[in-house]
Amino acid sequence: MSRLLAAVLTVAAAAALAVGAALGIVALLEATPDQPNTPLITYEHADQEH
């Protein structure tokens, strides 16, 4: 019975650790600012009418 209890506690601790790690990663990703979406190359277009 004590082995079963140890296995259940180990599984519960592993699940809690996995959930905590996932929430921590999501929090870190939310904390990083969004990068500006500026193009590296811009082409100048002359206003030409066809």
Side-chain angles (χ1 to χ4, degrees):
M1 185 67 179
S2 64
R3 283 190 179 187
L4 180 61
L5 181 61
V8 168
L9 290 177
T10 302
V11 169
L17 184 63
V19 169
L23 291 177
I25 290 171
V26 169
L28 285 175
L29 289 175
E30 292 288 328
T32 56
D34 291 333
Q35 298 297 319
N37 190 13
T38 56
L40 296 175
I41 300 173
T42 57
Y43 298 100
E44 296 194 16
H45 296 287
D47 290 335
Q48 297 176 354
E49 295 183 14
H50 293 11

